[in-house]
Amino acid sequence: MITVWPAILEKNPHDIQQRIDAVAGIVSEIHLDVMDGDFVPNTTVHDPAAIAALDWKGLKVSLHLMIARPELYVRQWALPSVSSMVVHREAVTNMEQMIKLVREVDKQLAVAINPHTSSYAITDYLDQLAFVMVMGVEPGFAAQGFNSDVLDKIKFLHEQKPQLAIAVDGGVNLQTKWPILAAGATMLCANSYLFKADNLIEAYHELRSTDRTSS
Ligand code: DX5
Ligand code: ZN
């Protein structure tokens, strides 16, 4: 079973709302890119109050926190629509503390690793995570090419813990999904592939399909 999360990366709340409106009714959960201009060289809406004020139409949000020192902001981001918080291993100094903080606000925790971060940076924590997220691109921008070197990391993590859910974010499209799925990931985050498609609904169903003859 494959999960596809539309990834929303926008600089103003109005544009986020437009994306929400476009996918509500198609999916039940989205991936929201939160960038502070510090951990990554780009900025999106990163004010929890502005996100809370949007009309989420019942959608759940997996929050991709590309921010420095995420441990300082866990409470502010524990909004009702947020189901999981994805923090970057590269941004967290104390993983045990992060696990505790997210547990306290009753949200799921996932950890993302950049293309050049070793899988060994997270192997100690796999039992305590809802899922892991392997970045297929350097975080910061949409519409970059998928770095196929990360496939080995997906395979390695899958072998370490086969029941662990693995998400991939960045560069996901109808071509890259096959090696990603073969490596053991089951959750795909996609921004430009979906939102630049002529037909968003069709594109979503094609990405979710595991029928190779249809793509
Ligand atoms: C990159 C973001 C991704 C991005 C994906 O820093 O974390 O979620 O929106 O964009 P595409 O699917 O276009 O690579
Ligand atoms: Zn993302």
Side-chain angles (χ1 to χ4, degrees):
M1 177 67 180
I2 300 177
T3 303
V4 170
W5 283 327
I8 301 180
L9 186 167
E10 297 296 337
K11 289 185 185 295
N12 69 70
H14 173 78
D15 292 335
I16 297 180
Q17 188 65 58
Q18 278 198 330
R19 299 290 204 217
I20 294 170
D21 296 348
V23 297
I26 306 173
V27 298
S28 56
E29 182 157 12
I30 63 96
H31 166 106
L32 183 69
D33 288 318
V34 176
M35 304 183 181
D36 64 355
D38 185 357
F39 179 68
V40 285
N42 195 7
T43 309
T44 62
V45 180
H46 58 285
D47 170 14
I51 297 298
L54 296 170
D55 177 5
W56 282 97
K57 301 178 180 259
L59 287 176
K60 287 285 163 207
V61 179
S62 176
L63 206 58
H64 183 190
L65 291 171
M66 287 164 278
I67 59 175
R69 308 204 59 196
E71 63 275 14
L72 300 181
Y73 306 98
V74 167
R75 290 200 172 274
Q76 293 172 46
W77 277 110
L79 307 173
S81 49
V82 169
S83 55
S84 60
M85 296 191 189
V86 187
V87 296
H88 271 265
R89 182 65 190 98
E90 302 83 5
V92 176
T93 25
N94 185 336
M95 272 300 295
E96 300 296 349
Q97 180 204 22
M98 178 57 76
I99 290 165
K100 187 165 165 281
L101 284 169
V102 176
R103 211 168 267 159
E104 277 168 12
V105 296
D106 208 19
K107 302 293 183 189
Q108 294 199 315
L109 175 65
V111 173
I113 49 173
N114 287 344
H116 299 291
T117 300
S118 162
S119 308
Y120 288 106
I122 57 171
T123 40
D124 283 353
Y125 310 105
L126 299 184
D127 289 343
Q128 298 174 79
L129 301 175
F131 61 94
V132 298
M133 197 164 84
V134 174
M135 295 302 298
V137 301
E138 288 298 327
F141 300 90
Q144 305 181 68
F146 180 73
N147 179 344
S148 46
D149 292 349
V150 309
L151 292 168
D152 283 344
K153 284 200 289 197
I154 302 169
K155 279 183 205 142
F156 173 80
L157 289 165
H158 184 58
E159 278 162 20
Q160 289 289 305
K161 194 173 177 199
Q163 69 276 34
L164 178 71
I166 302 177
V168 174
D169 183 28
V172 172
N173 58 39
L174 282 189
Q175 285 73 47
T176 57
K177 82 163 176 181
W178 296 114
I180 291 171
L181 297 179
T186 55
M187 303 197 289
L188 307 174
C189 308
N191 181 341
S192 41
Y193 164 75
L194 289 176
F195 290 111
K196 293 220 165 95
D198 292 336
N199 184 326
L200 173 57
I201 299 183
E202 251 175 52
Y204 168 74
H205 287 293
E206 275 191 81
L207 193 58
R208 273 192 71 188
S209 168
T210 48
D211 177 3
R212 269 202 107 131
T213 55
S214 75
S215 63

